[in-house]
Amino acid sequence: MTSSDSLDGTVVLLTGGTSGLGAETARTLADRGASLAVVGRDRARGEDVAADVAERNGDGWSEFYRADLASQASVRRLAARFRDRHDRLDVLVNNAGIHRSRRTETDDGVESTLAVNHLAPYLLTHDLADLLVDSAPARVVTVSSGIHTRASMEFSNLQSERDYDGMQAYARSKLANLLFTYELADRLGGTGVVATAVNPGFVPSTGLTREASLRTRLLFGAFKRLPLPFTKDVKAGAETLIRAAVDPDLADVTGAYLSDGEVTESSDASYDEVARRRLWDVSAGLVGVSPDWRLEDSPTVETGD
Ligand SMILES: NC(=O)c1ccc[n+]([C@@H]2O[C@H](COP(=O)([O-])OP(=O)(O)OC[C@H]3O[C@@H](n4cnc5c(N)ncnc54)[C@H](OP(=O)(O)O)[C@@H]3O)[C@@H](O)[C@H]2O)c1
């Protein structure tokens, strides 16, 4: 399969599809025939993207799901509605993300950056895991960032109750995306579902920094106006998401980090197996699911020993 091969019959659920990298990814996958469930908060923008997808994807289908990923109840309803309507899911793209200068908490009482950027992918993947396994070969793509290299987990201050710093909270949530992906890849071993984390590169023209500090907004604004070799436009940034989602060369590659389109190493902290299990268990507690999910279901592979 080449980058222009048909994705007819491929079912993709994509969060954060209403703007930036997500909207671009939805349109490009639709051009190749994929059916898309586009998730977002804003009905008007979501329905626009879904209509655009429907014009592009021929016989495929297109749906908009309105969901607020800051709310665990909303994430659960999203997964339930999708499962009610569909009996397969080939690719789940956990793309939605926020970067906030001020510390806020969700209605569930969780710091918002952790909630939207990490706990929502964790819970949505949990609620759709059986469907993905039943649809295998399938993929879970979670959008991290190169900025994860600046973070450590700091479990005693996971929700930034002390000394909130928007950039640090964002970077830590992106490290959490990697720890989650690597643990998920292990737990899904043998099921035919691969888990991949992605760094799209520096794409200053998206809406990501709309709630960031003035300094960060000014910086992104300047880079948007004056593109430099290390910045990308939305189309180029989305290429890494698309590669992780559908490139056949990566069909059997699990637990990988794709940065700027290539499989590469992430930070040392992201490979800390103790931290990743601890984060998994803490996350399970915060969203109210058993930490053992996908362990009891993992098939035993007979080795002949
Ligand atoms: N841009 C970059 O340089 C860069 C670099 C590395 C990684 N990333 C990652 O790329 C991903 C996409 O970001 P982007 O740059 O494309 O920014 P963006 O244009 O702001 O897109 C973010 C998307 O997430 C959605 N979202 C935010 N909070 C939500 C919530 N509570 N419920 C449902 N949807 C929500 C937004 O929906 P609304 O339109 O309703 O707000 C929007 O569709 C993020 O995970 C980000 O961390 C971006």
Side-chain angles (χ1 to χ4, degrees):
M1 198 185 268
T2 67
S3 60
S4 57
D5 281 345
S6 169
L7 295 173
D8 284 2
T10 301
V11 176
V12 181
L13 188 152
L14 170 82
T15 68
T18 48
S19 80
L21 295 162
E24 180 64 31
T25 299
R27 292 191 175 102
T28 305
L29 293 175
D31 284 337
R32 293 175 53 191
S35 292
L36 273 131
V38 174
V39 180
R41 278 176 301 188
D42 188 282
R43 184 176 295 283
R45 277 190 287 126
E47 288 179 351
D48 273 357
V49 175
D52 222 2
V53 164
E55 271 181 26
R56 292 164 180 248
N57 70 353
D59 293 335
W61 52 259
S62 165
E63 294 171 338
F64 171 62
Y65 289 74
R66 187 156 178 267
D68 180 358
L69 302 176
S71 155
Q72 294 173 15
S74 186
V75 174
R76 289 201 168 88
R77 281 195 297 273
L78 161 65
R81 272 190 293 151
F82 184 85
R83 284 197 317 261
D84 282 349
R85 295 174 67 89
H86 301 286
D87 58 9
R88 64 173 300 110
L89 176 60
D90 301 296
V91 187
L92 167 62
V93 185
N94 290 310
N95 164 70
I98 58 168
H99 181 153
R100 202 164 268 185
S101 63
R102 206 168 49 84
R103 187 183 188 279
T104 57
E105 287 190 1
T106 66
D107 290 348
D108 301 309
V110 180
E111 188 276 313
S112 301
T113 311
L114 185 78
V116 174
N117 294 7
H118 166 63
L119 292 178
Y122 182 91
L123 181 57
L124 187 59
T125 306
H126 169 274
D127 281 11
L128 293 172
D130 289 349
L131 185 59
L132 285 156
V133 170
D134 289 345
S135 310
R139 306 186 191 199
V140 179
V141 177
T142 302
V143 183
S144 176
S145 166
I147 205 158
H148 81 272
T149 54
R150 294 202 210 160
S152 59
M153 273 329 281
E154 213 193 330
F155 281 97
S156 62
N157 192 28
L158 193 59
Q159 299 193 44
S160 309
E161 280 137 336
R162 300 189 307 270
D163 309 330
Y164 181 81
D165 173 315
M167 187 61 88
Q168 191 49 230
Y170 176 73
R172 189 182 298 138
S173 74
K174 295 288 132 181
L175 173 59
N177 291 151
L178 282 156
L179 293 164
F180 164 64
T181 295
Y182 297 156
E183 182 67 19
L184 182 69
D186 269 12
R187 291 181 183 232
L188 288 171
T191 65
V193 183
V194 299
T196 310
V198 161
N199 167 31
F202 182 28
V203 187
S205 56
T206 70
L208 184 64
T209 56
R210 74 193 101 163
E211 296 175 300
S213 66
L214 180 62
R215 186 168 168 270
T216 305
R217 276 185 280 137
L218 289 174
L219 203 66
F220 269 63
F223 285 129
K224 184 174 152 182
R225 280 190 298 281
L226 291 172
L228 290 167
F230 57 85
T231 65
K232 287 182 178 177
D233 63 17
V234 174
K235 197 164 196 55
E239 275 170 19
T240 305
L241 275 74
I242 293 160
R243 175 145 204 249
V246 296
D247 187 332
D249 288 348
L250 299 175
D252 299 322
V253 179
T254 194
Y257 173 54
L258 248 72
S259 181
D260 293 330
E262 298 303 323
V263 175
T264 185
E265 299 257 303
S266 49
S267 68
D268 288 349
S270 69
Y271 295 115
D272 181 338
E273 295 193 11
V274 174
R276 86 184 198 201
R277 282 195 206 99
R278 186 167 175 193
L279 179 66
W280 186 277
D281 291 355
V282 169
S283 306
L286 288 170
V287 300
V289 301
S290 161
D292 294 335
W293 62 281
R294 292 313 312 166
L295 272 185
E296 72 274 30
D297 300 323
S298 298
T300 302
V301 180
E302 296 299 341
T303 60
D305 282 350

